[in-house]
């Protein structure tokens, strides 16, 4: 399958050099490598520069409310489990306003892929501190420096029950596409946290800053089946920053266990109550 099947005429409106271009390309590359037809893909987003992504990709898309992409995606997946559902958004959208939804989706293990363009600021609203901005960093909303410690999305995903946890970097495009491909292939909730520099508002966590620090976990013999090792690695930050698959495991998905889906996807089940179901329900009152 050729990459062009996922291209639209609309030009991405991101600033030249924004890390999100590589993520868009990575999603297109992963979907074509997996030979997935655009009609079988839904990309859901919230609000933010990164959340504009569904508009730049030829597939079904849903650009929803700030922080509410994950519940929309899980709803879509529940009624149509055959759909490949990807959530695309930013750290502010997902790890800030949408954090609660993200946590519950991980423990429930919906078979969706969450690609977070983590630029460690709120880009669209011109550079306020986000939940992943580093302590001490001066931003528009923290002119004296951030006084809070940032959240660690990789550790959070690991302890909350995500069954596939990976990190990628927009400056390593092939590896990024591979991480997204593995995430989509994985059955269960997959998080791909992408270090995706905001060239306009984050002058600290730049491409150069990451290039001096990132290394590939899999080149260092990391075993992604070992949760303890994954948690240990998730705390590595600053001097050395690991990218790659931290952890992958097998656990039944929410869709696998949902009684309402035993007879197949809701979208292909008959509407209303038929005679058979009616009788079944009445039996409860006998
Ligand atoms: C409920 C609500 N709160 C705040 C906003 C304003 N807002 C829009 S985008 C955004 C930040 C997006 O940041 P992030 O998710 O990190 O994405 P980025 O723009 O960096 O890609 C904010 C605060 C909003 N639209 N709705
Ligand atoms: S403001 Fe930052 S995140 Fe938004 S498009 Fe520009 S570089 Fe990208």
């Amino acid at each position: 399958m050729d990459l062009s099947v996922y291209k639209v005429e609309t030009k991405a409106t991101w600033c030249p050099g924004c890390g999100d271009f590589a993520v868009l390309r990575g999603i297109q590359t992963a979907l074509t490598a997996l030979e997935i037809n655009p009609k079988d893909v839904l990309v859901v987003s919230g609000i933010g520069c990164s959340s504009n992504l569904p508009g730049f990709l030829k597939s079904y898309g849903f650009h929803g409310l700030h922080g509410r992409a994950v519940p929309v995606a899980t709803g879509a997946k529940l009624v149509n489990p055959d759909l490949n559902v990807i959530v695309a958004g930013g750290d502010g959208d997902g790890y800030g306003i949408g954090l609660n939804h993200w946590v519950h989706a991980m423990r429930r293990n919906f078979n969706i892929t969450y690609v977070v363009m983590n630029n460690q600021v709120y880009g669209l609203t011109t550079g306020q501190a986000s939940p992943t901005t580093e302590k001490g960093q001066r931003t528009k909303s923290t002119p004296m420096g951030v006084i809070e410690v940032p959240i660690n999305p990789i550790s959070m995903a690991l302890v909350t029950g995500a069954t596939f946890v990976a990190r990628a970097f927009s400056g390593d495009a092939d590896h990024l596409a591979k991480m997204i491909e593995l995430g989509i292939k994985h059955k269960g909730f997959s998080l791909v946290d992408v270090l995706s520099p905001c060239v306009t508002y984050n002058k600290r966590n730049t491409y150069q800053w990451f290039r001096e620090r990132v290394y590939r976990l899999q080149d260092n013999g990391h075993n992604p089946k070992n949760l303890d090792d994954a948690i240990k690695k998730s705390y590595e930050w600053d001097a050395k920053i690991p990218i790659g698959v931290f952890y992958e495991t097998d656990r039944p998905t929410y869709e696998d266990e949902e009684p309402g889906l035993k007879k197949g996807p809701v979208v292909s089940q008959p509407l209303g109550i038929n005679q058979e179901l009616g009788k079944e329900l009445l039996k409860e009152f006998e």
Side-chain angles (χ1 to χ4, degrees):
M1 191 183 277
D2 191 77
L3 203 79
S4 60
V5 298
Y6 277 101
K7 289 205 168 149
V8 284
E9 284 185 13
T10 318
K11 277 205 168 144
T13 47
W14 296 312
C15 309
C18 175
D20 299 354
F21 284 101
V23 177
L24 174 63
R25 177 93 183 181
I27 293 176
Q28 291 169 328
T29 307
L31 289 167
T32 46
L34 292 168
E35 299 276 331
I36 298 174
N37 195 307
K39 75 169 180 47
D40 297 323
V41 178
L42 168 70
V43 183
V44 184
S45 69
I47 299 292
C49 297
S50 42
S51 284
N52 289 333
L53 189 142
F56 313 138
L57 182 81
K58 193 169 179 187
S59 72
Y60 289 108
F62 189 100
H63 189 188
L65 296 177
H66 201 13
R68 304 292 176 254
V70 170
V72 171
T74 53
K77 185 70 185 175
L78 266 182
V79 295
N80 191 356
D82 294 336
L83 205 55
N84 291 279
V85 179
I86 298 172
V87 184
D91 44 292
D93 188 73
Y95 302 150
I97 192 164
L99 179 122
N100 178 37
H101 304 299
W102 169 53
V103 164
H104 290 291
M106 290 193 287
R107 76 180 176 83
R108 289 173 176 147
N109 199 28
F110 289 101
N111 185 13
I112 62 176
T113 301
Y114 193 9
V115 182
V116 180
M117 286 156 265
N118 184 357
N119 55 19
Q120 300 174 260
V121 284
Y122 283 9
L124 188 71
T125 40
T126 72
Q128 298 96 319
S130 88
T132 52
T133 309
E134 298 192 29
K135 189 164 193 290
Q137 187 166 340
R138 289 170 190 265
T139 71
K140 282 204 181 149
S141 62
T142 57
M144 314 287 278
V146 172
I147 56 172
E148 301 148 309
V149 290
I151 67 155
N152 182 333
I154 301 288
S155 332
M156 276 191 77
L158 290 169
V159 299
T160 308
T163 49
F164 178 96
V165 182
R167 183 191 276 140
F169 168 43
S170 284
D172 190 348
D174 292 346
H175 181 265
L176 162 60
K178 195 71 204 167
M179 291 303 108
I180 297 173
E181 183 185 327
L182 293 176
I184 296 170
K185 240 163 84 177
H186 172 78
K187 191 166 179 244
F189 191 97
S190 48
L191 172 75
V192 184
D193 178 75
V194 186
L195 306 169
S196 182
C198 170
V199 292
T200 306
Y201 295 113
N202 189 343
K203 304 295 184 194
R204 175 181 159 86
N205 310 105
T206 60
Y207 285 99
Q208 182 60 23
W209 191 86
F210 284 118
R211 275 203 187 97
E212 287 163 10
R213 291 165 170 80
V214 294
Y215 75 95
R216 292 184 182 188
L217 275 172
Q218 270 63 46
D219 290 349
N220 272 35
H222 174 70
N223 173 11
K225 298 285 168 209
N226 187 324
L227 182 59
D228 287 347
D229 281 358
I231 292 174
K232 235 176 254 163
K233 284 284 174 200
S234 74
Y235 281 97
E236 230 176 71
W237 184 264
D238 213 10
K240 278 172 83 194
I241 300 178
I243 56 172
V245 181
F246 283 75
Y247 185 60
E248 179 163 25
T249 194
D250 226 1
R251 183 156 65 79
T253 64
Y254 191 94
E255 305 90 283
D256 283 342
E257 303 205 291
E258 166 55 53
L261 295 178
K262 293 284 180 244
K263 289 182 182 161
V266 176
V267 283
S268 51
Q269 288 183 33
L271 285 175
I273 297 178
N274 58 23
Q275 248 184 352
E276 190 195 341
L277 183 60
K279 276 185 191 157
E280 226 175 274
L281 289 172
L282 283 174
K283 263 193 201 151
E284 288 186 28
F285 299 97
E286 279 173 3

